[in-house]
Amino acid sequence: MGNNGKVVLAYSGGLDTSVCIRYLQTLHKLDVITVTVDCGQHDNFKDIERKAEAIGSIKHLYIDAREEFARNYVVPSIKANGLYQGKYPLATALARPLIAAKAVEVAEKEGATAVAHGCTGKGNDQIRFDVTMRALSPNLKIIAPIRDLNLTRDLEISFAKEQNIPISLEAKKYSIDMNLWGRALEGGKIEEADFEPPEEAFEFINFQNDKAGYVEIEFDKGIPVGVDGEHIPLVDLIQYVNDKAGAHGVGIIDHIEDRVVGIKSREVYEAPAAVAIIEAHKDLEKMVLTKHELAFKQIVDSQWSWLAYSGLWQDPLRADLDRFIDATQNRVSGKVRLKMEKGSLRVVGRESEYSLYRNNLATYEAGSTFDQSLAKGFVELWGLQSVIANSLTADLSIDRKNKKEVENEIKS
Ligand code: ARG
């Protein structure tokens, strides 16, 4: 065993990566070092270690990357209002480049010649892993057994049974990926686009709570720093908002998503913190950024989300966009109050020392400093081209029979 050297496998403890350990050993004759990167998934990491070793890992490493994930991946995404296709808060997409980077780091330290991951050839995750791994260490070989062997979930399950690899009950139902920023459910019945996922499929969402609740999020330069009046560390803050918003049923996303490989997929997510924090952040930006900044930033944000989604975290354009986004965040400081009730979420208040909102300009009451007489001339110039264009097309819309008469009328 292991006469071809060592491979470092990004190991989650799930079905795909468990099957990978055995395939890497038997097919590739490699010694397998497993690495589990903690990005805030609620797993029992001792169990995962035991499982890896039972299947055949020669060395297992646990890396607590929660703080790094929050600081270097989630925060830039908050600043960019990161939502793919306007909906998906990118939880899995953000964690992949970090997990890939950790696997590469370990591979270099351990003198491995290859890195491996458990992605299929049908999803986005393979792109995120491969591109990051190649960008960071071009000489490492990348092995993706599930993709290479064209395995389906059924085949994996029967291989696992045959090899005495333990599988969880959940794995038989769905494929789940979770981290601090959200939880993705795929596979099983969820693949039927018309099937409503049962309440039990969700971990954070309370469907029974009828009461309304509030959460106030404080931002400093686009970064959430406080919640409900207290400054707390970022990871705790995200968890706190996740629990609180989830308790009011907020945070389910169910949509049809365009994968990079061309497949349309039905995706179900629960991401209470991401949904609430991005909503609050967007609202604060509206208060402090000019309409020109907002309009341009929207284009940048959607390009940023696309890069993160499509596995191009390492592309220099992402860092370029980050510099622009960071520059816009200098004034994104203040507080936003959200109301949550039976799955609904809305902003009910906001304040900022950089607010461009001026009550004395906006008010319809006495005390307004806005000089209405200036508006008349402005409105005339504003609509100038539209009015002229309409006078021409009004003529075009008259049917041909009447046209001659109208022309004569104008002449006379
Ligand atoms: N569709 C999402 C994405 O591409 C979620 C992927 C979830 N991954 C998984 N292995 N279940 O980011």
Side-chain angles (χ1 to χ4, degrees):
M1 210 172 71
N3 46 15
N4 286 339
K6 289 186 258 186
V7 59
V8 172
L9 168 68
Y11 184 68
S12 69
L15 176 67
D16 295 324
T17 53
S18 293
V19 160
C20 284
I21 299 180
R22 202 50 66 78
Y23 272 117
L24 290 164
Q25 287 176 320
T26 53
L27 241 56
H28 296 269
K29 309 264 180 289
L30 287 160
D31 277 338
V32 184
I33 297 170
T34 42
V35 183
T36 299
V37 184
D38 184 354
C39 294
Q41 63 271 40
H42 292 169
D43 283 335
N44 183 329
F45 295 103
K46 263 273 148 268
D47 280 354
I48 290 176
E49 174 168 359
R50 273 193 285 269
K51 190 170 173 183
E53 282 165 359
I55 301 170
S57 162
I58 61 154
K59 181 172 182 176
H60 179 81
L61 288 123
Y62 162 83
I63 298 173
D64 181 358
R66 284 175 294 176
E67 174 61 29
E68 191 178 346
F69 178 56
R71 188 71 44 203
N72 299 341
Y73 296 80
V74 174
V75 161
S77 195
I78 293 170
K79 291 178 177 175
N81 299 312
L83 294 173
Y84 177 59
Q85 297 191 313
K87 283 274 205 176
Y88 164 45
L90 298 168
T92 300
L94 295 171
R96 294 314 190 220
L98 172 60
I99 298 168
K102 294 295 177 199
V104 165
E105 217 177 285
V106 173
E108 284 172 351
K109 223 181 273 164
E110 298 283 341
T113 51
V115 276
H117 59 73
C119 303
T120 71
K122 300 184 81 169
N124 301 312
D125 287 336
Q126 56 173 338
I127 307 172
R128 299 163 185 155
F129 273 113
D130 280 23
V131 174
T132 305
M133 287 166 164
R134 228 180 279 287
L136 297 180
S137 190
N139 295 326
L140 279 173
K141 189 177 167 192
I142 300 169
I143 311 175
I146 311 292
R147 176 176 66 191
D148 296 346
L149 299 167
N150 204 6
L151 295 180
T152 60
R153 257 185 114 63
D154 289 343
L155 280 173
E156 286 181 48
I157 290 175
S158 49
F159 177 78
K161 280 185 184 150
E162 177 192 305
Q163 296 275 323
N164 286 323
I165 297 168
I167 32 180
S168 70
L169 274 173
E170 237 183 2
K172 291 180 189 154
K173 265 196 194 160
Y174 312 113
S175 160
I176 291 169
D177 185 66
M178 187 195 151
N179 61 48
L180 186 64
W181 204 228
R183 187 164 172 268
L185 292 136
E186 286 183 320
K189 286 282 275 177
I190 283 172
E191 286 177 357
E192 290 166 31
D194 201 24
F195 169 80
E196 181 181 344
E199 295 184 1
E200 318 82 75
F202 299 96
E203 194 175 313
F204 303 111
I205 307 296
N206 183 337
F207 292 88
Q208 315 309 329
N209 187 359
D210 286 339
K211 289 196 195 78
Y214 293 87
V215 65
E216 185 192 74
I217 303 170
E218 181 182 347
F219 293 88
D220 179 30
K221 294 188 167 49
I223 305 171
V225 291
V227 70
D228 291 338
E230 252 188 272
H231 286 186
I232 55 172
L234 192 57
V235 171
D236 300 340
L237 184 150
I238 293 170
Q239 269 162 354
Y240 177 90
V241 177
N242 207 57
D243 291 344
K244 200 157 179 188
H248 292 282
V250 168
I252 296 181
I253 298 132
D254 184 333
H255 83 151
I256 300 290
E257 188 171 295
D258 285 292
R259 288 191 194 158
V260 183
V261 294
I263 296 171
K264 276 194 188 290
S265 64
R266 189 278 180 91
E267 299 283 338
V268 175
Y269 305 102
E270 55 176 330
V275 166
I277 292 172
I278 291 174
E279 187 66 16
H281 179 263
K282 271 189 192 167
D283 186 80
L284 188 56
E285 283 191 332
K286 284 190 180 175
M287 185 176 230
V288 302
L289 299 183
T290 67
K291 65 175 173 180
H292 313 292
E293 289 180 292
L294 285 170
F296 190 73
K297 185 169 180 290
Q298 226 172 59
I299 300 168
V300 174
D301 286 353
S302 99
Q303 184 63 32
W304 191 98
S305 298
W306 168 241
L307 289 173
Y309 183 79
S310 67
L312 299 183
W313 184 262
Q314 301 299 330
D315 195 283
L317 178 59
R318 203 258 316 156
D320 298 340
L321 298 183
D322 272 337
R323 279 186 282 275
F324 167 79
I325 292 169
D326 270 337
T328 65
Q329 299 301 293
N330 280 327
R331 284 174 282 126
V332 187
S333 299
K335 289 177 184 165
V336 180
R337 199 164 69 254
L338 299 162
K339 184 171 186 175
M340 303 160 301
E341 189 173 12
K342 290 191 270 183
S344 83
L345 172 81
R346 71 192 157 100
V347 176
V348 291
R350 69 287 278 164
E351 57 177 78
S352 170
E353 56 178 314
Y354 299 108
S355 175
L356 302 181
Y357 171 80
R358 287 284 182 271
N359 191 271
N360 56 357
L361 290 176
T363 185
Y364 290 115
E365 314 293 325
S368 167
T369 55
F370 186 91
D371 180 356
Q372 294 189 56
S373 69
L374 296 174
K376 189 172 183 296
F378 164 77
V379 175
E380 199 160 326
L381 300 183
W382 174 252
L384 200 53
Q385 295 189 6
S386 315
V387 170
I388 295 172
N390 258 277
S391 75
L392 300 173
T393 51
D395 185 46
L396 287 179
S397 71
I398 298 165
D399 65 54
R400 293 200 172 275
K401 219 169 81 191
N402 290 333
K403 205 171 176 200
K404 267 255 137 355
E405 289 164 33
V406 175
E407 266 166 25
N408 288 339
E409 229 170 77
I410 293 169
K411 269 185 214 145
S412 60

